[in-house]
């Protein structure tokens, strides 16, 4: 179960993430999950309904950062209509449905997250942020299970 | 006298369970401790035989329930050395107790007054004061930390000016684990005429705590961190202050006389216990008072401190692992970071090894800012732990480092 979660793809993307940085002239959004300190500054450059460029500066756990890295790889160069399908397939997978492997590609490495309810918000951080920039249809926010009493 | 682990095992059957195929090592006691059989039995006995409302029935069950509920108040009074039963107000927990003081006692603050807390407080002992200060135009000040992660009282004179009206601090930090110099702080507060509140969420039931000896004005704690149930805690208050304070909730049980336009308040503690209280939970808390007394508060403190000392030494000896706060003298929590691994990944992988720890900011976000880590992992020890738990923790950290190596 735990090997499922920490697949090599995830650890690789965590250690050496793709598309790190900021893009000049792009739309920028910040998002964070204050209870765990996961943070992202996402830059998205959209032209003619296509994500021409995307980059992020992030901080957080392996799941949130690998998910961001994988997401930026998957959406770069894609039209919003395709990204919408990716988003919904990704969300379904994270919420426990069988993944659409063909559509999701490397992001399938994150399917193990669905068995760790507490980590679902980590995997969704990037997509949730992207959905603030692009019309991907807002998901119901995941309750944050990590800030209990302590 | 040392309590044999066999006794603990018998009282806490949960220790025999497995998690993800491994025997459970529960190291999240600072969040919530496990509940021993006698506490569960007391709660069950109320529901099984004496389930009724309190203070209002003339029938046998209600009288029994009232006796059990008020008996629990007496047990709390004895455990924490409260001056009388009227000083023991049942609340939902520490958070509710501190909010009660901030909302009610806090009404006496004037613009220009100050409240002194520490930078290490749990949000429960920070936000009520922060909001009160905003409401009243008062200033909120903070006692800083030493480099080691204990309270730095070297500037106390400067912070504790005569306009300070309240000094509130945790007796034991839920992250750094230090035991605050409560006597010194309370004496200093008194010297400028400030009231004092001790957040005893991590100390009552973990070490001998006496309201009378501390000489503070208020003391707050929760049942669920000292072998009791959730949903119950206490505010212990000095009678004169409780007498002068207005209730913050209105309803049944808290009044003496009511007409359609007016009402007069019952005396403390009832003035602050509007509505049907958490009866079973209070009874459970009473049983928890008995339980920790029976184990011995000196033993609990010594046992927990010894485990923390060992854990802090073992963790800080692992390359790439950093312990936050002092390495000795902690009572319960041992917060740590592993280089290159986010605390959430640490907690998830430790869980996979059967080791339950907490990861996050532990409701002390400003403190984590100072520690330079937005969140940490925290192993916290109590009566249910033994030295071999530390070996399991260390081995599990090895697994984490291997996965992320
Ligand atoms: C030091 C401290 N204060 C206050 C609290 C709040 O307690 P509760 O959530 O039971 O109200 C906690 C624990 O969560 C704590 O550790």
């Amino acid at each position: 179960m735990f090997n499922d979660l920490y697949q090599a793809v995830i650890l690789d993307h965590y250690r050496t993430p793709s598309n790190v940085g900021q893009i000049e002239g792009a739309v920028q959004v910040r998002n964070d999950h204050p209870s765990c300190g996961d943070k992202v500054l996402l830059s998205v450059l959209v032209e003619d309904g296509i994500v021409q460029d995307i980059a992020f500066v992030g901080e957080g756990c392996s799941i949130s950062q690998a998910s961001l890295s994988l997401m930026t790889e998957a959406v770069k160069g894609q039209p919003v209509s395709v990204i919408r399908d990716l988003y919904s397939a990704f969300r379904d997978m994270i919420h426990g449905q069988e993944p659409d492997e063909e559509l999701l590609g490397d992001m399938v490495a994150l399917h193990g997250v669905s068995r760790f309810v507490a980590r679902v918000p980590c995997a969704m951080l990037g997509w949730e942020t992207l959905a603030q920039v692009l019309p991907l249809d807002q998901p119901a926010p995941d309750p944050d299970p990590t800030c209990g009493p302590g | 006298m040392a309590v044999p682990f066999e006794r603990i095992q018998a009282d806490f059957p949960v220790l025999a369970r497995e998690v993800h195929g491994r025997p459970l090592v529960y190291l999240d006691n600072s969040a919530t401790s496990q509940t021993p059989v006698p506490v569960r039995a007391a709660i069950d006995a109320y529901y099984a035989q004496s389930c009724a409302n309190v203070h209002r029935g003339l029938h046998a069950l209600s009288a029994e329930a009232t006796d059990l509920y008020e008996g629990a108040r007496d047990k709390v009074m004895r455990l924490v050395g409260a001056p009388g039963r009227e000083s023991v107000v049942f609340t939902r927990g520490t958070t509710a107790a501190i909010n009660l003081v901030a909302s009610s006692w806090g009404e006496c603050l004037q613009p220009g007054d100050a409240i002194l807390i520490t930078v290490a407080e749990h949000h429960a002992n920070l936000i009520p004061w922060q909001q009160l200060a905003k409401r009243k135009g008062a200033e909120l000040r903070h006692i800083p930390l030493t480099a080691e992660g204990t309270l730095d009282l070297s500037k106390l004179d400067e912070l504790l000016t005569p306009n300070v009206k309240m000094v509130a601090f945790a007796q034991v930090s839920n992250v750094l684990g230090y035991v605050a110099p409560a006597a010194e702080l309370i004496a200093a507060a008194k010297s400028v005429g400030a009231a004092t509140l001790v957040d005893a969420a991590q100390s009552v039931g973990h070490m001998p705590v006496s309201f009378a000896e501390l000489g503070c004005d208020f003391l707050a704690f929760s049942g669920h961190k000292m072998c009791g149930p959730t949903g119950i805690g206490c505010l212990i208050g000095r009678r004169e202050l409780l007498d002068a304070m207005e209730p913050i909730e209105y309803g049944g049980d808290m009044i003496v006389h009511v007409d359609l336009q007016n009402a007069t308040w019952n005396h403390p503690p009832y003035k602050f216990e509007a509505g049907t209280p958490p009866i079973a939970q209070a009874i459970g808390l009473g049983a928890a008072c008995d339980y920790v007394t029976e184990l011995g508060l000196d033993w609990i403190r010594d046992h927990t401190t010894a485990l923390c000392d060992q854990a802090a030494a073992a963790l800080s000896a692992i390359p790439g692992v950093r312990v936050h706060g002092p390495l000795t003298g902690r009572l319960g929590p041992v917060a740590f970071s592993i280089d290159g691994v986010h605390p959430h990944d640490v907690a998830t992988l430790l869980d996979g090894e059967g080791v339950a720890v907490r990861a996050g900011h532990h409701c002390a976000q400003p403190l984590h800012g100072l520690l330079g880590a937005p969140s940490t992992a925290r192993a916290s020890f109590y009566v249910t732990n033994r030295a071999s738990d530390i070996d399991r923790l260390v081995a599990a950290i090895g697994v984490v480092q291997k996965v992320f190596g």
Side-chain angles (χ1 to χ4, degrees), chain A residues 149-150, chain B residues 30-31 93-96 98 122 124 170 172 174 199 201-202 222 224-225:
Chain B
S30 295
T94 309
T95 304
I98 299 174
H122 187 282
V172 172
N174 69 314
D199 172 352
Q202 301 289 351
S222 300
H224 68 100
K225 294 177 196 289

Side-chain angles (χ1 to χ4, degrees), chain B residues 95 98-107 109-111 113-115 117 122-142 166 366:
Chain B
T95 304
I98 299 174
N99 274 283
L100 167 56
V101 176
S103 301
S104 177
W105 173 89
E107 276 306 307
L109 285 195
Q110 303 289 331
D113 285 346
I115 300 164
I117 62 173
H122 187 282
H123 295 167
N125 197 31
L126 161 61
I127 306 172
W129 304 119
Q130 191 185 74
Q131 298 306 311
L132 173 65
K134 276 199 215 299
R135 241 177 12 249
K136 293 288 175 181
E139 184 195 344
L140 185 62
R141 295 181 190 162
H142 306 85
M166 169 60 80

Side-chain angles (χ1 to χ4, degrees), chain B residues 356-371:
Chain B
V357 300
R358 176 142 184 229
H361 53 56
H362 318 299
C363 300
Q365 242 175 306
L367 170 63
H368 279 78
L370 292 174
L371 295 176

Side-chain angles (χ1 to χ4, degrees), chain A:
Chain A
M1 177 166 174
F2 292 80
N3 292 346
D4 267 20
L5 184 62
Y6 291 101
Q7 293 199 7
V9 176
I10 295 180
L11 295 170
D12 287 349
H13 276 266
Y14 176 57
R15 290 193 193 100
T16 44
S18 308
N19 301 310
V20 169
Q22 297 187 43
I23 303 165
E24 222 167 290
V27 181
Q28 295 202 328
V29 243
R30 267 177 212 289
N31 192 6
D32 63 356
H33 288 165
S35 71
C36 52
D38 284 356
K39 274 192 189 120
V40 63
L41 172 65
L42 190 66
S43 307
V44 191
L45 192 69
V46 190
E47 270 165 25
D48 306 327
I50 291 174
V51 171
Q52 300 291 356
D53 202 1
I54 182 165
F56 76 100
V57 182
E59 198 182 298
C61 68
S62 62
I63 306 297
S64 69
Q65 301 305 301
S67 178
L68 268 158
S69 171
L70 284 159
M71 177 189 80
T72 57
E73 283 186 353
V75 305
K76 203 178 203 170
Q78 297 291 343
V80 174
S81 56
V82 171
I83 297 174
R84 196 175 286 133
D85 292 345
L86 281 170
Y87 175 55
S88 109
F90 184 82
R91 209 174 32 174
D92 289 349
M93 170 180 81
I94 296 298
H95 287 101
Q97 290 184 25
E98 269 307 300
D100 181 341
E101 299 194 10
E102 208 173 314
L103 183 60
L104 289 169
D106 275 356
M107 289 191 290
V108 167
L110 285 160
H111 81 270
V113 173
S114 65
R115 282 148 65 194
F116 297 83
V117 197
R119 306 305 297 277
V120 165
C122 316
M124 291 306 299
L125 175 71
W127 283 99
E128 183 187 291
T129 313
L130 187 60
Q132 291 176 22
V133 185
L134 304 177
L136 302 181
D137 111 60
Q138 290 288 350
D142 287 294
D144 185 337
T146 52
C147 186

